[in-house]
Amino acid sequence: MGGAAAEETSVLGLAPVAPDRTAAYGEHPDQVADFYLPSRPRGAVRPAPLVLLFHGGAWRAPYDRRHVSPFAAFLAGRGFAVASVEYRRGGADPARAGRWPETFDDIAAAVDTVPGLARELGLPGADPDRVVLTGHSAGGHAVLWAAARHRLPSGTPWHLPSSSPLRGVVALAPIADLATARALDVCSGAVGELLGEVRGDGDELTARLALADPAALLPTAIPTTIVQGGTDIDVPPAVADAFAAAATRAGQDVRLVRTEGGHFPPIDPTMPVAHTVADEIAHVAGTGPAR
């Protein structure tokens, strides 16, 4: 078995970990979040940052939050409160990627609502006022886009008048630059499907791309880190590089952490890269050592 296949098998072969609590952030069955409570160090007096975790899977329905549950539990073991977010993906066709605009509706609703849910539930050890967004692959796109909603035109439904009060974003092998990902045919046409691409309707696609592409919505002024595997063949490093270049042109510093391995090690708690991710989350949350 090749390296990339072995990495995927390692992650998808891990037993799911049941959450401590599940709560709905909307009425649709997919609008739910699983909460994993932090393991607090002895003597700790301050609640833990709340990490909103968005899973990947190319926005396709067969891939849900269960495959990141071991990673969510790992982060909780590192002292974070974690909310693993589900959202609407492709519909009845399992090969279909995403829904326009429902996928984006859910990302926005989760970021706006889940911290308040954590507060209402009185989750022990969780600080909903210190929120970090992290996501893998398509989930990495979700968190980069969510952090940029104040950059959207004011007439769009997801627009925020000012930036969200986030501590930062840590995106893992993200589909960060949709134009580049579409040109590279990342995940077999997933970007076009996410945007509801219709053959011959180039103007509509261009308009949607401008609203959905995190690389087109810079700068955000929110601390942003990308963790990218050097041998990733699912979302090639060129996608993260394109986002980082766009950020530089826009005047925003983006930390790009290159790691060994491919697409899946950042969410595999059995791999060293997962510890690197936890360290990066701690840094943007303000709980890690200064660099």
PDB file of all heavy atoms in Angstrom, residues 111-112 146-152 159-167 219-223:
ATOM      1  N   VAL A 111     -20.634  28.946  13.147  1.00  0.00           N
ATOM      2  CA  VAL A 111     -19.671  29.862  13.770  1.00  0.00           C
ATOM      3  C   VAL A 111     -20.394  30.909  14.611  1.00  0.00           C
ATOM      4  O   VAL A 111     -19.922  31.300  15.689  1.00  0.00           O
ATOM      5  CB  VAL A 111     -18.785  30.514  12.702  1.00  0.00           C
ATOM      6  CG1 VAL A 111     -17.893  31.590  13.306  1.00  0.00           C
ATOM      7  CG2 VAL A 111     -17.928  29.452  12.011  1.00  0.00           C
ATOM      8  N   ASP A 112     -21.566  31.343  14.147  1.00  0.00           N
ATOM      9  CA  ASP A 112     -22.323  32.356  14.884  1.00  0.00           C
ATOM     10  C   ASP A 112     -23.015  31.789  16.124  1.00  0.00           C
ATOM     11  O   ASP A 112     -23.258  32.526  17.086  1.00  0.00           O
ATOM     12  CB  ASP A 112     -23.384  32.978  13.977  1.00  0.00           C
ATOM     13  CG  ASP A 112     -22.794  33.837  12.865  1.00  0.00           C
ATOM     14  OD1 ASP A 112     -21.600  34.162  12.943  1.00  0.00           O
ATOM     15  OD2 ASP A 112     -23.540  34.160  11.913  1.00  0.00           O
ATOM     16  N   ALA A 146     -15.083  31.381   6.757  1.00  0.00           N
ATOM     17  CA  ALA A 146     -15.834  31.935   7.887  1.00  0.00           C
ATOM     18  C   ALA A 146     -15.128  33.137   8.498  1.00  0.00           C
ATOM     19  O   ALA A 146     -15.776  34.090   8.945  1.00  0.00           O
ATOM     20  CB  ALA A 146     -16.050  30.852   8.943  1.00  0.00           C
ATOM     21  N   ALA A 147     -13.805  33.100   8.514  1.00  0.00           N
ATOM     22  CA  ALA A 147     -13.039  34.209   9.084  1.00  0.00           C
ATOM     23  C   ALA A 147     -13.059  35.443   8.195  1.00  0.00           C
ATOM     24  O   ALA A 147     -12.662  36.532   8.638  1.00  0.00           O
ATOM     25  CB  ALA A 147     -11.597  33.769   9.319  1.00  0.00           C
ATOM     26  N   ALA A 148     -13.529  35.289   6.960  1.00  0.00           N
ATOM     27  CA  ALA A 148     -13.493  36.390   5.996  1.00  0.00           C
ATOM     28  C   ALA A 148     -14.866  36.968   5.700  1.00  0.00           C
ATOM     29  O   ALA A 148     -15.002  37.771   4.775  1.00  0.00           O
ATOM     30  CB  ALA A 148     -12.857  35.905   4.690  1.00  0.00           C
ATOM     31  N   ARG A 149     -15.875  36.617   6.472  1.00  0.00           N
ATOM     32  CA  ARG A 149     -17.230  37.037   6.116  1.00  0.00           C
ATOM     33  C   ARG A 149     -17.437  38.548   6.178  1.00  0.00           C
ATOM     34  O   ARG A 149     -18.293  39.087   5.462  1.00  0.00           O
ATOM     35  CB  ARG A 149     -18.252  36.326   7.012  1.00  0.00           C
ATOM     36  CG  ARG A 149     -18.389  34.855   6.668  1.00  0.00           C
ATOM     37  CD  ARG A 149     -19.130  34.105   7.752  1.00  0.00           C
ATOM     38  NE  ARG A 149     -20.410  34.701   8.043  1.00  0.00           N
ATOM     39  CZ  ARG A 149     -21.047  34.587   9.226  1.00  0.00           C
ATOM     40  NH1 ARG A 149     -20.489  33.885  10.206  1.00  0.00           N
ATOM     41  NH2 ARG A 149     -22.209  35.154   9.406  1.00  0.00           N
ATOM     42  N   HIS A 150     -16.648  39.237   6.979  1.00  0.00           N
ATOM     43  CA  HIS A 150     -16.758  40.700   7.014  1.00  0.00           C
ATOM     44  C   HIS A 150     -16.207  41.337   5.741  1.00  0.00           C
ATOM     45  O   HIS A 150     -16.393  42.536   5.516  1.00  0.00           O
ATOM     46  CB  HIS A 150     -16.025  41.255   8.240  1.00  0.00           C
ATOM     47  CG  HIS A 150     -14.572  40.913   8.295  1.00  0.00           C
ATOM     48  ND1 HIS A 150     -14.133  39.631   8.498  1.00  0.00           N
ATOM     49  CD2 HIS A 150     -13.453  41.683   8.170  1.00  0.00           C
ATOM     50  CE1 HIS A 150     -12.802  39.620   8.517  1.00  0.00           C
ATOM     51  NE2 HIS A 150     -12.374  40.837   8.297  1.00  0.00           N
ATOM     52  N   ARG A 151     -15.556  40.545   4.908  1.00  0.00           N
ATOM     53  CA  ARG A 151     -15.038  41.038   3.636  1.00  0.00           C
ATOM     54  C   ARG A 151     -16.037  40.838   2.483  1.00  0.00           C
ATOM     55  O   ARG A 151     -15.805  41.297   1.373  1.00  0.00           O
ATOM     56  CB  ARG A 151     -13.728  40.309   3.295  1.00  0.00           C
ATOM     57  CG  ARG A 151     -12.628  40.493   4.330  1.00  0.00           C
ATOM     58  CD  ARG A 151     -11.986  41.853   4.201  1.00  0.00           C
ATOM     59  NE  ARG A 151     -11.391  41.999   2.873  1.00  0.00           N
ATOM     60  CZ  ARG A 151     -10.964  43.165   2.365  1.00  0.00           C
ATOM     61  NH1 ARG A 151     -11.090  44.283   3.060  1.00  0.00           N
ATOM     62  NH2 ARG A 151     -10.424  43.208   1.166  1.00  0.00           N
ATOM     63  N   LEU A 152     -17.137  40.159   2.767  1.00  0.00           N
ATOM     64  CA  LEU A 152     -18.163  39.952   1.756  1.00  0.00           C
ATOM     65  C   LEU A 152     -18.955  41.239   1.517  1.00  0.00           C
ATOM     66  O   LEU A 152     -19.086  42.070   2.423  1.00  0.00           O
ATOM     67  CB  LEU A 152     -19.127  38.854   2.198  1.00  0.00           C
ATOM     68  CG  LEU A 152     -18.585  37.425   2.226  1.00  0.00           C
ATOM     69  CD1 LEU A 152     -19.547  36.512   2.978  1.00  0.00           C
ATOM     70  CD2 LEU A 152     -18.345  36.919   0.808  1.00  0.00           C
ATOM     71  N   HIS A 159     -22.783  38.091   5.143  1.00  0.00           N
ATOM     72  CA  HIS A 159     -21.931  39.235   5.495  1.00  0.00           C
ATOM     73  C   HIS A 159     -22.023  39.563   6.981  1.00  0.00           C
ATOM     74  O   HIS A 159     -23.106  39.515   7.593  1.00  0.00           O
ATOM     75  CB  HIS A 159     -22.354  40.457   4.685  1.00  0.00           C
ATOM     76  CG  HIS A 159     -21.738  41.742   5.150  1.00  0.00           C
ATOM     77  ND1 HIS A 159     -20.440  42.099   4.861  1.00  0.00           N
ATOM     78  CD2 HIS A 159     -22.247  42.762   5.898  1.00  0.00           C
ATOM     79  CE1 HIS A 159     -20.169  43.269   5.404  1.00  0.00           C
ATOM     80  NE2 HIS A 159     -21.245  43.695   6.034  1.00  0.00           N
ATOM     81  N   LEU A 160     -20.874  39.888   7.570  1.00  0.00           N
ATOM     82  CA  LEU A 160     -20.815  40.432   8.923  1.00  0.00           C
ATOM     83  C   LEU A 160     -20.290  41.866   8.840  1.00  0.00           C
ATOM     84  O   LEU A 160     -19.375  42.152   8.060  1.00  0.00           O
ATOM     85  CB  LEU A 160     -19.882  39.603   9.807  1.00  0.00           C
ATOM     86  CG  LEU A 160     -20.329  38.189  10.156  1.00  0.00           C
ATOM     87  CD1 LEU A 160     -19.238  37.497  10.973  1.00  0.00           C
ATOM     88  CD2 LEU A 160     -21.638  38.206  10.934  1.00  0.00           C
ATOM     89  N   PRO A 161     -20.828  42.770   9.649  1.00  0.00           N
ATOM     90  CA  PRO A 161     -20.371  44.165   9.580  1.00  0.00           C
ATOM     91  C   PRO A 161     -18.949  44.358  10.080  1.00  0.00           C
ATOM     92  O   PRO A 161     -18.292  45.337   9.734  1.00  0.00           O
ATOM     93  CB  PRO A 161     -21.388  44.912  10.451  1.00  0.00           C
ATOM     94  CG  PRO A 161     -21.959  43.875  11.356  1.00  0.00           C
ATOM     95  CD  PRO A 161     -21.964  42.602  10.577  1.00  0.00           C
ATOM     96  N   SER A 162     -18.480  43.448  10.905  1.00  0.00           N
ATOM     97  CA  SER A 162     -17.095  43.494  11.390  1.00  0.00           C
ATOM     98  C   SER A 162     -16.621  42.064  11.582  1.00  0.00           C
ATOM     99  O   SER A 162     -17.423  41.124  11.584  1.00  0.00           O
ATOM    100  CB  SER A 162     -16.995  44.278  12.704  1.00  0.00           C
ATOM    101  OG  SER A 162     -17.803  43.690  13.709  1.00  0.00           O
ATOM    102  N   SER A 163     -15.328  41.893  11.760  1.00  0.00           N
ATOM    103  CA  SER A 163     -14.779  40.551  11.858  1.00  0.00           C
ATOM    104  C   SER A 163     -15.277  39.845  13.113  1.00  0.00           C
ATOM    105  O   SER A 163     -15.558  40.474  14.134  1.00  0.00           O
ATOM    106  CB  SER A 163     -13.252  40.592  11.860  1.00  0.00           C
ATOM    107  OG  SER A 163     -12.764  41.309  12.983  1.00  0.00           O
ATOM    108  N   SER A 164     -15.380  38.516  13.022  1.00  0.00           N
ATOM    109  CA  SER A 164     -15.786  37.721  14.177  1.00  0.00           C
ATOM    110  C   SER A 164     -14.717  37.817  15.262  1.00  0.00           C
ATOM    111  O   SER A 164     -13.522  37.925  14.966  1.00  0.00           O
ATOM    112  CB  SER A 164     -15.961  36.252  13.776  1.00  0.00           C
ATOM    113  OG  SER A 164     -16.980  36.100  12.830  1.00  0.00           O
ATOM    114  N   PRO A 165     -15.125  37.754  16.532  1.00  0.00           N
ATOM    115  CA  PRO A 165     -14.148  37.842  17.627  1.00  0.00           C
ATOM    116  C   PRO A 165     -13.403  36.520  17.816  1.00  0.00           C
ATOM    117  O   PRO A 165     -13.533  35.848  18.845  1.00  0.00           O
ATOM    118  CB  PRO A 165     -15.023  38.189  18.825  1.00  0.00           C
ATOM    119  CG  PRO A 165     -16.349  37.573  18.525  1.00  0.00           C
ATOM    120  CD  PRO A 165     -16.514  37.697  17.031  1.00  0.00           C
ATOM    121  N   LEU A 166     -12.645  36.143  16.803  1.00  0.00           N
ATOM    122  CA  LEU A 166     -11.917  34.883  16.836  1.00  0.00           C
ATOM    123  C   LEU A 166     -10.494  35.112  17.316  1.00  0.00           C
ATOM    124  O   LEU A 166      -9.873  36.134  17.014  1.00  0.00           O
ATOM    125  CB  LEU A 166     -11.869  34.253  15.439  1.00  0.00           C
ATOM    126  CG  LEU A 166     -13.205  33.978  14.754  1.00  0.00           C
ATOM    127  CD1 LEU A 166     -12.963  33.570  13.300  1.00  0.00           C
ATOM    128  CD2 LEU A 166     -13.962  32.888  15.492  1.00  0.00           C
ATOM    129  N   ARG A 167      -9.957  34.102  18.036  1.00  0.00           N
ATOM    130  CA  ARG A 167      -8.535  34.157  18.378  1.00  0.00           C
ATOM    131  C   ARG A 167      -7.665  33.854  17.169  1.00  0.00           C
ATOM    132  O   ARG A 167      -6.532  34.340  17.079  1.00  0.00           O
ATOM    133  CB  ARG A 167      -8.234  33.177  19.515  1.00  0.00           C
ATOM    134  CG  ARG A 167      -8.784  33.613  20.867  1.00  0.00           C
ATOM    135  CD  ARG A 167      -8.190  34.955  21.265  1.00  0.00           C
ATOM    136  NE  ARG A 167      -8.708  35.442  22.510  1.00  0.00           N
ATOM    137  CZ  ARG A 167      -8.049  35.361  23.689  1.00  0.00           C
ATOM    138  NH1 ARG A 167      -6.871  34.773  23.738  1.00  0.00           N
ATOM    139  NH2 ARG A 167      -8.587  35.846  24.781  1.00  0.00           N
ATOM    140  N   PRO A 219      -7.530  41.033   2.901  1.00  0.00           N
ATOM    141  CA  PRO A 219      -7.063  40.478   4.170  1.00  0.00           C
ATOM    142  C   PRO A 219      -8.185  40.384   5.190  1.00  0.00           C
ATOM    143  O   PRO A 219      -9.162  41.140   5.118  1.00  0.00           O
ATOM    144  CB  PRO A 219      -6.017  41.504   4.617  1.00  0.00           C
ATOM    145  CG  PRO A 219      -6.555  42.818   4.092  1.00  0.00           C
ATOM    146  CD  PRO A 219      -7.214  42.482   2.773  1.00  0.00           C
ATOM    147  N   THR A 220      -8.043  39.480   6.151  1.00  0.00           N
ATOM    148  CA  THR A 220      -9.051  39.337   7.194  1.00  0.00           C
ATOM    149  C   THR A 220      -8.645  39.972   8.519  1.00  0.00           C
ATOM    150  O   THR A 220      -9.509  40.212   9.361  1.00  0.00           O
ATOM    151  CB  THR A 220      -9.331  37.850   7.470  1.00  0.00           C
ATOM    152  OG1 THR A 220      -8.157  37.240   8.033  1.00  0.00           O
ATOM    153  CG2 THR A 220      -9.731  37.121   6.201  1.00  0.00           C
ATOM    154  N   ALA A 221      -7.341  40.201   8.712  1.00  0.00           N
ATOM    155  CA  ALA A 221      -6.792  40.719   9.969  1.00  0.00           C
ATOM    156  C   ALA A 221      -6.969  39.740  11.124  1.00  0.00           C
ATOM    157  O   ALA A 221      -6.836  40.124  12.283  1.00  0.00           O
ATOM    158  CB  ALA A 221      -7.405  42.076  10.327  1.00  0.00           C
ATOM    159  N   ILE A 222      -7.274  38.492  10.826  1.00  0.00           N
ATOM    160  CA  ILE A 222      -7.390  37.444  11.848  1.00  0.00           C
ATOM    161  C   ILE A 222      -6.172  36.540  11.736  1.00  0.00           C
ATOM    162  O   ILE A 222      -5.837  36.082  10.628  1.00  0.00           O
ATOM    163  CB  ILE A 222      -8.687  36.643  11.663  1.00  0.00           C
ATOM    164  CG1 ILE A 222      -9.897  37.543  11.956  1.00  0.00           C
ATOM    165  CG2 ILE A 222      -8.719  35.412  12.560  1.00  0.00           C
ATOM    166  CD1 ILE A 222     -11.235  36.897  11.663  1.00  0.00           C
ATOM    167  N   PRO A 223      -5.468  36.272  12.847  1.00  0.00           N
ATOM    168  CA  PRO A 223      -4.287  35.402  12.780  1.00  0.00           C
ATOM    169  C   PRO A 223      -4.621  34.072  12.115  1.00  0.00           C
ATOM    170  O   PRO A 223      -5.585  33.396  12.496  1.00  0.00           O
ATOM    171  CB  PRO A 223      -3.907  35.218  14.250  1.00  0.00           C
ATOM    172  CG  PRO A 223      -4.413  36.450  14.921  1.00  0.00           C
ATOM    173  CD  PRO A 223      -5.698  36.788  14.215  1.00  0.00           C
TER     174      PRO A 223
END
